[in-house]
Amino acid sequence: MSAELKDNVKGLFGEFGGKYVPELIIPALEELEEAYDKYKDDPEFQEEFNYYLKQYVGRANPLYYAERLTKKLGGAKIYLKREDLNHMGAHKINNALGQVLLAKRMGKKRVIAETGAGQHGVATATVAAMFGMECEIFMGAEDVKRQALNVFRMKLLGAKVTSVTDGTQTLSDAVDAALRNWVERIDDTFYLLGSAVGPHPYPTIVRDFQSMIGEEAKEQILEQEGRLPDYLVACVGGGSNAIGLFYPFVEDKDVKMIGVEAAGLGVDTDKHAATMAKGRKGVIHGFKTYVLQDDNGQIMPVHSISAGLDYPGVGPEHSYLKDIGRAEYVSVTDDEAVNAFQVLCESEGIIPALESSHAIAHVLKLAPELDQDQVIIMNLSGRGDKDVYTLADRLGVEL
Amino acid sequence: MSRIATTFARLQDQGQQAFIPFLMTGDPTLELTKELVLEAERNGADIIELGIPFSNPLADGPTIQRAGKRSLAHRTNLKDIFKLVKEIRTESQIPIVLMGYFNSIFNYGLERLINSCEEVGVDGLIIPDLPMGEDEELRALSNEVDIISLVALNSSPKRIKELAENSQGFIYAVATLGTTGERGEVSKEVKAKVEEIKSLTSTPVAVGFGISKPEHVKEVASFADGAIVGSAIIKRLEDNLELLPESEAEFINSVGEIVSTLTSPLN
Ligand SMILES: Cc1ncc(COP(=O)(O)O)c(C=O)c1O
């Protein structure tokens, strides 16, 4: 492991990351860091985590050879890491489970979380229900509208859903609201952050709690193909499903890693969320990273058809992987993602999340350019039931 | 001695405490901010805190969030703010401290920021999301501009000691476990915290967040060197926006009045 990636004592990935938070939050971060250091290698913690991952989440999930899609595209072999088959239908549950076990050990009684697509909100509400914790989810009012199904699921699971009407009323504003609430209730509340973002130690914790994706995939591809893949492809909102897949392969220099961001209506319009393509270095939500901002350093409103990619920053480890040239970041428009969604439905009988559809859209471009003996692993981060209304709307179908 | 240190020294000699109002620069306009600064000074302000509006003001409650929004509606930026301070300096030598979020400053450039502050006469910087551990680079760049540290009610003794040792200008003791905004009362823990800080340093300590009534100012003044009031003033300003543009003098006056009311226990 390269020095910077492993030895991130201050939470730095190169120049990215850090702890840019009000003094009030520092003690909570220190408490979290201490707890994490104590438990991350604790056999009893790991055993409990692995037990629930297996018996409750249903891991290991398959690495599925998408034969029809591969044939259709006529290039590299495409494997799908089936995070969509996890309990509740996305990779978010992995991290939520890890963090709630930590919260429990820290004696916290209440968990809060931000959510965009609602997947992380559902995951958090799920683990809170499991462990009998009070749960409040902050969600941008715009997302509450687009993800009504997930809002109802959270409520069924016993969570309180607070609609955030600040700013563009999307994920970024939900993070602000959750952080503010954490500040107000810092003594009894655990902030269960849903992506590989935020102040240290969150990006490290979330990455570690998602790394089984890449670890399993590595084992599975060695079993099925007898070799490592040529490409890893994953969508990037904050970057948790992508870093979970990438991280165990970082030292395997021949494995190329591609993160796919949301280009919305196009990166040259003002309606996109392509942070790597159009962002500059800055500080958002407590960490240094690439940020979509205007000339004055104001965070810009972002847009994507998929609420989970609608974020003006990106995890600090991704910014570092980009700068050292270890990973590449591309973007895909709303239209391309909608098309890819349909392609996967029809070719493989899998309804993917709109977030994951961005990764698929890139695979549709990449695979035909590669040889038939090359291998792509794509992270199918979630299933698309939550997105059928958006799709219907898009396709002019009345449900 | 810096303008901030001189002000506290003078007040201490007189057995008085500083009153520090917060105004959001550009709320409702840059021209009016200038008038409000001068009006606040006439009504007993000792130091002025000027907010740099930011799209994601993490530490602020709804009132200051709205003030930031009003200012950003006409795209107030740091260049405008420095120009404004330069204009204020032709009429007033009141210490001016800018309060803003780190991305605005990082985006402007740290070195350029310090140069601009020194050039126009900004005396200090308060950056709520640049805690000890991340502020070293800015401190290293700054000679004349005080980088003001914030101490929270839950800061550990070890951190408070280190913060106190590195403090410049004054120490900002945050009186709530939360964001800015008006509160019913000053929490009992604040006094103990301020005393803890004062036992470690001779740097003056001012208390802010939630200080919203003359009684609060009076209470805080009994154990700290200054009181900072933001939301309560902005709330008044907001309630009187309807006076604009017709009755500008009356609008300015109304803000002066609340400053005067809040400072009354200090005289
Ligand atoms: C299915 C799915 N994939 C991807 C994401 C994006 O998040 P991240 O980049 O952290 O994986 C989300 C976020 O809500 C999601 O629900």
Side-chain angles (χ1 to χ4, degrees):
Chain A
M1 203 91 333
S2 58
E4 281 96 334
L5 278 179
K6 199 171 181 196
D7 192 22
N8 59 347
V9 178
K10 267 193 77 189
L12 290 182
F13 304 93
E15 67 182 295
F16 302 106
K19 267 187 207 170
Y20 296 87
V21 294
E23 185 64 26
L24 203 52
I25 297 185
I26 295 282
L29 292 174
E30 286 177 347
E31 186 190 351
L32 178 62
E33 198 173 344
E34 215 172 281
Y36 185 61
D37 281 344
K38 181 167 163 199
Y39 293 114
K40 71 174 176 213
D41 299 318
D42 174 39
E44 191 252 340
F45 178 84
Q46 284 303 331
E47 195 181 313
E48 190 179 1
F49 188 30
N50 288 329
Y51 170 81
Y52 287 114
L53 285 175
K54 181 170 179 220
Q55 303 295 351
Y56 187 76
V57 177
R59 304 203 73 95
N61 56 40
L63 181 71
Y64 175 68
Y65 173 45
E67 198 178 341
R68 261 97 12 209
L69 184 63
T70 299
K71 292 238 165 74
K72 183 180 157 78
L73 298 175
K77 290 178 92 167
I78 300 158
Y79 282 85
L80 304 176
K81 184 60 180 154
R82 298 291 306 273
E83 294 299 311
D84 63 316
L85 295 179
N86 293 343
H87 176 50
M88 292 296 175
H91 69 293
K92 298 283 179 189
I93 192 86
N94 304 327
N95 166 58
L97 188 57
Q99 286 196 45
V100 86
L101 293 177
L102 207 53
K104 199 178 76 161
R105 280 167 175 74
M106 291 167 73
K108 303 288 180 182
K109 304 268 179 284
R110 177 174 179 264
V111 295
I112 58 168
E114 82 297 338
T115 197
Q119 288 304 102
H120 175 59
V122 167
T124 303
T126 301
V127 297
M130 247 178 115
F131 291 100
M133 293 204 190
E134 188 187 329
C135 178
E136 184 169 353
I137 304 295
F138 295 86
M139 190 167 185
E142 181 65 28
D143 292 336
V144 167
K145 248 188 288 166
R146 330 189 240 190
Q147 302 287 343
L149 195 63
N150 270 341
V151 173
F152 187 56
R153 287 166 89 202
M154 289 181 250
K155 287 183 179 163
L156 287 174
L157 292 161
K160 176 178 170 197
V161 180
T162 299
S163 170
V164 179
T165 53
D166 302 327
T168 52
Q169 317 194 344
T170 56
L171 182 56
S172 167
D173 311 293
V175 176
D176 281 332
L179 279 167
R180 284 196 195 99
N181 183 272
W182 196 28
V183 166
E184 303 272 346
R185 297 279 303 263
I186 212 129
D187 42 342
D188 72 339
T189 296
F190 184 98
Y191 182 14
L192 210 162
L193 193 54
S195 191
V197 300
H200 178 66
Y202 281 108
T204 302
I205 292 181
V206 176
R207 179 250 278 151
D208 291 352
F209 286 158
Q210 292 290 2
S211 286
M212 75 288 273
I213 299 174
E215 285 159 12
E216 286 174 13
K218 198 174 198 173
E219 209 171 288
Q220 290 165 321
I221 199 73
L222 287 174
E223 215 172 273
Q224 296 180 57
E225 287 288 333
R227 68 177 190 88
L228 293 177
D230 298 285
Y231 285 90
L232 303 174
V233 179
C235 66
V236 176
S240 70
N241 87 87
I243 203 71
L245 177 65
F246 293 176
Y247 188 65
F249 290 92
V250 166
E251 291 302 290
D252 302 309
K253 300 284 188 225
D254 292 335
V255 179
K256 297 184 186 67
M257 312 192 300
I258 302 177
V260 187
E261 295 189 308
L265 302 187
V267 292
D268 294 322
T269 69
D270 60 359
K271 292 213 175 333
H272 64 81
T275 307
M276 292 296 201
K278 292 286 173 175
R280 282 181 292 120
K281 287 172 193 172
V283 171
I284 182 173
H285 298 142
F287 65 108
K288 194 179 279 181
T289 193
Y290 284 98
V291 177
L292 284 172
Q293 52 187 318
D294 70 11
D295 294 345
N296 295 328
Q298 307 296 348
I299 310 298
M300 293 203 316
V302 283
H303 162 83
S304 166
I305 189 169
S306 95
L309 302 185
D310 221 348
Y311 187 65
V314 61
E317 196 159 1
H318 286 292
S319 290
Y320 175 66
L321 291 173
K322 173 188 153 90
D323 271 16
I324 62 169
R326 181 64 190 90
E328 185 194 345
Y329 296 85
V330 298
S331 58
V332 151
T333 62
D334 288 352
D335 285 343
E336 291 171 317
V338 167
N339 171 58
F341 182 106
Q342 293 170 285
V343 168
L344 196 73
C345 287
E346 288 166 16
S347 63
E348 295 291 344
I350 296 171
I351 300 179
L354 269 172
E355 290 77 16
S356 321
S357 299
H358 285 72
I360 301 163
H362 187 67
V363 168
L364 298 186
K365 298 180 197 170
L366 177 67
E369 291 176 6
L370 302 178
D371 296 334
Q372 293 186 349
D373 60 355
Q374 289 188 289
V375 172
I376 299 171
I377 295 180
M378 193 211 93
N379 201 11
L380 189 55
S381 55
R383 71 176 187 225
D385 308 39
K386 68 183 174 62
D387 296 315
V388 296
Y389 290 102
T390 308
L391 248 290
D393 195 38
R394 186 80 178 194
L395 302 174
V397 177
E398 190 103 28
L399 291 187
Chain B
M1 238 196 322
S2 74
R3 262 188 291 252
I4 294 174
T6 312
T7 298
F8 275 106
R10 173 176 53 78
L11 290 168
Q12 260 158 13
D13 281 350
Q14 299 164 354
Q16 287 190 339
Q17 292 76 31
F19 183 76
I20 310 175
F22 169 91
L23 295 166
M24 178 58 76
T25 319
D27 172 29
T29 64
L30 286 162
E31 295 70 31
L32 279 166
T33 301
K34 178 181 166 191
E35 297 309 318
L36 294 176
V37 167
L38 300 175
E39 175 76 2
E41 184 178 19
R42 280 191 293 272
N43 284 279
D46 300 295
I47 296 172
I48 302 278
E49 224 184 90
L50 284 180
I52 306 166
F54 183 51
S55 51
N56 297 47
L58 206 60
D60 288 310
T63 306
I64 295 184
Q65 285 180 41
R66 284 196 302 274
K69 238 181 228 170
R70 286 192 294 269
S71 174
L72 283 178
H74 47 89
R75 297 181 56 84
T76 306
N77 63 25
L78 269 167
K79 259 199 230 158
D80 301 329
I81 294 174
F82 287 124
K83 204 166 132 227
L84 176 74
V85 173
K86 200 167 175 178
E87 276 171 34
I88 293 172
R89 281 286 169 253
T90 63
E91 297 181 43
S92 165
Q93 292 307 309
I94 190 165
I96 292 177
V97 175
L98 298 187
M99 177 158 182
Y101 291 85
F102 187 55
N103 196 54
S104 312
I105 285 155
F106 183 73
N107 177 75
Y108 189 84
L110 302 192
E111 202 168 342
R112 179 171 170 226
L113 178 94
I114 295 293
N115 290 341
S116 297
C117 287
E118 288 176 357
E119 192 188 312
V120 303
V122 168
D123 304 288
L125 291 169
I126 301 172
I127 309 164
D129 60 345
L130 194 70
M132 185 174 71
E134 302 291 359
D135 66 355
E136 288 68 19
E137 189 183 349
L138 187 65
R139 281 180 188 276
L141 285 170
S142 166
N143 288 318
E144 291 168 31
V145 183
D146 291 328
I147 310 298
I148 291 156
S149 308
L150 294 104
V151 174
L153 288 175
N154 58 355
S155 297
S156 66
K158 180 167 164 271
R159 260 186 95 82
I160 293 181
K161 187 157 178 288
E162 245 177 280
L163 284 162
E165 276 165 12
N166 294 316
S167 59
Q168 302 174 344
F170 65 91
I171 291 173
Y172 194 134
V174 177
T176 65
L177 278 175
T179 52
T180 57
E182 294 175 81
R183 309 271 162 152
E185 54 185 54
V186 180
S187 121
K188 293 283 163 285
E189 298 148 276
V190 178
K191 181 172 184 224
K193 213 30 111 177
V194 170
E195 280 166 359
E196 183 183 348
I197 300 166
K198 289 181 82 66
S199 74
L200 295 166
T201 176
S202 56
T203 309
V205 180
V207 176
F209 278 49
I211 311 302
S212 32
K213 299 176 185 164
E215 301 91 275
H216 298 165
V217 173
K218 186 173 178 189
E219 186 181 342
V220 161
S222 71
F223 55 80
D225 304 295
I228 304 165
V229 179
S231 297
I233 295 171
I234 292 186
K235 194 77 201 1
R236 174 69 68 96
L237 175 153
E238 198 168 66
D239 290 344
N240 286 292
L241 282 173
E242 62 197 36
L243 293 172
L244 298 174
E246 291 78 17
S247 319
E248 204 173 281
E250 205 181 324
F251 171 78
I252 295 165
N253 222 338
S254 72
V255 175
E257 246 169 47
I258 176 97
V259 172
S260 167
T261 310
L262 287 160
T263 52
S264 59
L266 299 178
N267 304 318

